[in-house]
Every structure is written in C-alpha cells, then in structure tokens.
Amino acid sequence: MPQNINQPSNQIRLTNVSLVRLKKGKKRFEIACYKNKVLEYRSGVETDLDNVLQIPNVFLSVSKGQTAPSEDLKKAFGGKTPVNDIIMEILKKGEMQVGEKERHAQLERVHNEVIDIVAGKLVDPRSKRVYTTGMIDKALDQLSSQGGAVQKTDEGNGSGTATTTNGESRKEKGKEMPTWTGVVTTKSAKSQALDAMKALIAWQPIPVTRARMRLRVTCPTSILKQAAKGQTKKGSDEEDADGAGEKSTGTVKDRILSYVEQVETQDTMGSEWEVVGFVEPGAFKVLGEFIGGETKGRGRVEVLDMAVTHEGD
C-alpha cells in the first residue's frame, strides 16, 4: 500500500528567509525575501525584485509554507489589485522579521553610520576642530544612559529651565528639549544623526556646534543699496537647533552680510557683487529665500563646502 503523503497544493516550504509581514483586513500576510535584501531595496540600493524575493508569492505563514488564498487577497487588497502590487505594498509597508544576530548587526551598522555623520558635522566651537568618532559616541552614550535624569526641569519654581549634565541650566523656550535615547533600526541613519546633533547641541555634554558652511553669494550691484523688505522668517526645526534667528533690517547688502559670520573675500565685478564667507547651517535656508525674494532670481547662493572643519593634530 503506498505510503506517500501528499503536501497540500497551497504549501511551499522555504528556508533561510527574511520575512516581511503586513496585517490588513484582519489577516496577516507575509512574503519571503533574501536576507539583507529588504533594507537594500527600501534604501534604493537594490531595484530588482528578483534579487529581493525568494518566491513571488504571498503567504499566510511562510514557516508553514501556507500561501494566501486568492479570496483573502481580494478581500484585503481589492479584487482588481495584481499580486505584484500586493507584494510591493507588503515589501514597502510591512514589518521586517529578523533574527537576533541579524538585528544586532543591523543596529551596529546604523549606529556606526549615525556616529560618522555626526562626527563630520559637529566641531568644537572654540577651535573649530572635529571630534573623533569615539568622543562623539561617548557623548551620545552619556545622554542616552542618563535618560530621564538629563531632562529634569526645575518644576519647583516653575522657571521652565532644564538642567544639563554639567549642572548648567538651559531655557526650554516654551518647548520640549531635544533628547537622545539611542539608535533604532526603524529610522534612517540620516534622520537619527539630525536628532543626535540637536540633542548634543542642546545639552552640551561636550562643547559642540554645527560646522559652518562656506558659501558664495552673488547679487546685482543695482540692488545692494536698496532697503531690505521686512523681517526674514525663522528657518525649520533644524535651523532652530543651530540658533538661527531673525536678522536686522537695513540695505540688501547689510542683510546679506548679517548672515555671514566670517567674510573670506568680497569683490565687485562689473554689475555683480560677490562675497565668499562662512555661514551657520541654520542660516542657509533663510539666506537663500532672502536672496531669491529680493533679487527676483537674479542673485545666487552657491555652496562651496557643506561643512568646514579643521582636523586635529
């Protein structure tokens, strides 16, 4: 008598996979991907789905080899949605399931990337020299390890001040101070590096400031002596973190120079005036908006160096 056991037609066995899960329409759907390829696809490094998916199927359970019935897919994603579009939605929006070793490696990779970005954009405010990645790492670890202690406010007298790690008080200006609790794998390294820089600048576990940008500003000489129109707007949250504020009124030339911390060169060539100098990153956006508005597109702001730093001895 035959002893063969038939495997159900909707079961496919896969091994050595990285799962991506998405819950929709009261059902949980899974796709089976090659390890490390999901992050590469989401970051744009990998664009070929064949290199990401182990098999172009949607599962209810990859571990059991149970594929999702077409009726379940229709109810959850719509009757006219192609399977490939369903897979794309799960791949982009789903939660990635990884093993402990993979998770640790991924966390370490993001952590190192964040530290590298921060170390390249922050400097000692006095010497303008960059810190080593080790010093930046230690400073961020100090913020995250102290957690809520670093965020204590003087609630007793209602002063709205925050106590930093070195005992100094810092005004909160009516809003919550930026904090740092460590790296996560669910956010990009770039956005986390920005959060880390905000926290370091706010709490100053070591003296830091954003490295200045080197810019070239060009403006028609016929506009320079005209009165600047109104007050400039404050920049975004990133700019607020660097302390960029409103600039004083005056002539167009006065206003431009008020953004430049240090003038390197200043010259007039024919009908154009040009200044090259160093500007705080937080002032870059509002300076560009001011030049665009005052010159109606005839002036220019060019970035010569995104972050001017001095290497240590």
Side-chain angles (χ1 to χ4, degrees):
M1 190 175 184
Q3 298 296 316
N4 293 336
I5 300 176
N6 293 325
Q7 178 174 292
S9 59
N10 70 332
Q11 285 195 356
I12 302 173
R13 296 291 185 181
L14 295 171
T15 58
N16 195 32
V17 298
S18 181
L19 304 183
V20 180
R21 294 172 177 165
L22 179 68
K23 188 174 182 181
K24 191 164 183 175
K26 297 183 180 180
K27 291 276 187 178
R28 189 183 69 182
F29 300 96
E30 302 179 347
I31 54 175
C33 304
Y34 291 105
K35 291 184 177 181
N36 302 323
K37 285 296 181 179
V38 177
L39 289 177
E40 290 183 8
Y41 179 81
R42 288 178 173 177
S43 64
V45 174
E46 180 60 71
T47 56
D48 190 346
L49 275 179
D50 290 338
N51 294 331
V52 180
L53 299 174
Q54 286 215 10
I55 187 171
N57 282 39
V58 181
F59 295 81
L60 292 179
S61 173
V62 171
S63 61
K64 296 177 181 178
Q66 183 182 5
T67 57
S70 58
E71 287 302 315
D72 287 352
L73 295 177
K74 288 178 182 178
K75 288 179 182 179
F77 297 93
K80 296 183 179 180
T81 306
V83 173
N84 195 57
D85 290 352
I86 295 173
I87 291 174
M88 293 281 285
E89 182 175 344
I90 297 172
L91 188 57
K92 290 178 180 179
K93 299 180 181 179
E95 179 185 354
M96 188 168 60
Q97 310 296 310
V98 295
E100 190 60 37
K101 289 184 178 179
E102 292 171 301
R103 188 178 293 106
H104 178 75
Q106 181 184 343
L107 189 64
E108 186 176 3
R109 186 165 57 249
V110 176
H111 174 84
N112 291 338
E113 192 175 347
V114 168
I115 297 299
D116 286 341
I117 293 173
V118 174
K121 292 187 180 295
L122 293 185
V123 295
D124 185 307
R126 294 182 294 272
S127 67
K128 304 302 180 186
R129 294 186 182 278
V130 295
Y131 286 101
T132 64
T133 54
M135 294 178 74
I136 294 294
D137 195 4
K138 185 176 180 180
L140 286 174
D141 185 59
Q142 182 180 346
L143 291 182
S144 61
S145 63
Q146 294 193 8
V150 83
Q151 304 173 45
K152 285 184 179 178
T153 58
D154 188 5
E155 297 174 355
N157 57 21
S159 64
T161 60
T163 304
T164 62
T165 54
N166 58 14
E168 297 176 354
S169 291
R170 185 177 290 269
K171 290 284 183 182
E172 294 194 24
K173 298 180 181 179
K175 64 180 181 180
E176 192 174 329
M177 294 282 282
T179 58
W180 177 254
T181 55
V183 171
V184 296
T185 58
T186 54
K187 295 173 63 179
S188 70
K190 186 175 180 180
S191 66
Q192 292 186 82
L194 180 59
D195 292 339
M197 287 188 284
K198 287 181 180 179
L200 286 172
I201 290 169
W203 296 104
Q204 297 286 317
I206 55 176
V208 292
T209 188
R210 283 286 296 268
R212 297 178 301 175
M213 301 174 74
R214 184 167 174 262
L215 306 178
R216 177 190 288 119
V217 180
T218 307
C219 180
T221 54
S222 59
I223 298 176
L224 289 179
K225 293 184 179 180
Q226 294 180 8
K229 299 172 184 176
Q231 291 286 99
T232 58
K233 297 178 180 178
K234 283 190 177 182
S236 61
D237 291 340
E238 290 87 343
E239 293 152 4
D240 291 340
D242 295 317
E246 296 182 354
K247 301 293 178 178
S248 59
T249 56
T251 65
V252 171
K253 182 178 180 180
D254 290 339
R255 182 73 70 80
I256 293 172
L257 291 176
S258 72
Y259 288 103
V260 183
E261 282 198 343
Q262 180 183 344
V263 175
E264 192 175 85
T265 61
Q266 190 177 168
D267 199 8
T268 301
M269 295 167 287
S271 62
E272 284 196 333
W273 171 76
E274 177 186 285
V275 60
V276 175
F278 301 95
V279 175
E280 284 291 329
F284 173 63
K285 181 180 178 181
V286 285
L287 173 59
E289 290 174 348
F290 173 75
I291 293 293
E294 294 289 336
T295 68
K296 307 221 182 295
R298 296 165 60 194
R300 300 186 304 277
V301 179
E302 302 172 63
V303 178
L304 303 179
D305 198 329
M306 282 296 294
V308 180
T309 60
H310 301 283
E311 298 295 334
D313 294 329

